[in-house]
Each structure stands twice: as structure tokens, then as C-alpha cells.
Amino acid sequence: MSTSASARPALRADAARNRAKILDAARRLYEESGEAGPEQVARAAGVGVGTLYRHFPNREALAAAVYEDELEQVALAAGDLIRDHAPAEALRLWMDRFARRFDMKRAMGDAVWSLVRVGAVTAGTARARLTEAAQVLVDAGIASGDVRAEVRGEDVVVALVGICVTCPEPSQREQAGRLMDLLLAGVVAGGERR
């Protein structure tokens, strides 16, 4: 089940703004406390509860939308980064964005597990979308000669998952950064960051 922007009907401008405010508020609440109840989110977003329920009929729909929106933002970041940075630099910046998504997923905790249990979220779907984004960066790097020709987006994603799983605590962020630097050094042509 996907709730990506392409699968949603177009919203009026005010409705789209309200939806974005609700998602931003829910994201902040998840990050701060790991919990984002509908009434709490509506209050934080500055909208009425009825407005929230028009967009998200229940807590699970809200959690799924936050999860999907965060996934989509990471995927879209690949294209934005490759336009503004050299391929190797764009890939490293994207790794940081990937890690922030992983932190958000962890902050959502129980909400994500309930989505997994009902099949609203699958690891395969998320991994495929992230792999597609990583491949955009890898392909640009290969084309420029910055990235080794044998590198695959799916391998970058799996390595990043490993880093995020083994360095989950805020106190380990520096180590996670060093590991991402090592990963980049392994994929960059010539074995060094440009």
C-alpha cells in the first residue's frame, strides 16, 4: 500500500497546506517523544481535530503517512543533491539523510511495528524505493568516473542499514559518520573521497 504523492488525488492549496502542517507536527512529536496521538498532532499543527481526521481517518493512517512522507523525502533528496553537488559528495550527503530517516523510523517505534503487522509498511517496498534513489546517485558517479563501475545502489542501501542498526544511539553518531566515510571511500573510484 503506497500513499505517495503520485497515488493521492490533488488537494486544494489550503488542504495541502493543512496536510503538510499535520505531517510536520506529527514528525516533530515522534522525534521528541515517540508518540503522536491525533489530538496532540492537531494541536501542534494548529488545526482542528476534524481537519486532521479528514486527511487521516485514524492513528494508523497518520503514522503510515508520516512514514511514507519521510521515505519519499529521502528518495527525492537524491535528485536534489545530484543537481547541486558532485556525485561523490551528493552520495555522502544522501547517506546522512538516509541515517536521519532511520532515526525517525526508530523514533516512531510502536507505530511502525503496528504498520508492519497489518502490512501497511513492508521492508521490501521501502528498500526498493531507497535502492532506486541510491542508484540515481551511483549512476551519476559512475558516469562521471567518481564511483567505481561495479557499485550497486542496493549494496549501498544494505551497507547503510547495517551502519544505522549497529550505531543506533545519538552517542554513536560520530562513529556512524566515520563508517559512512569508509563506505564512501570503498565506492569512490581510486578509493578516496574527491
Side-chain angles (χ1 to χ4, degrees), residues 119-135:
V121 166
T122 65
T125 301
R127 184 172 289 180
R129 185 68 179 105
L130 294 169
T131 295
E132 180 183 311
Q135 195 64 51

Side-chain angles (χ1 to χ4, degrees), residues 147-159:
V147 172
R148 293 170 29 193
E150 69 272 18
V151 175
R152 300 290 173 262
E154 66 186 321
D155 297 335
V156 171
V157 169
V158 169

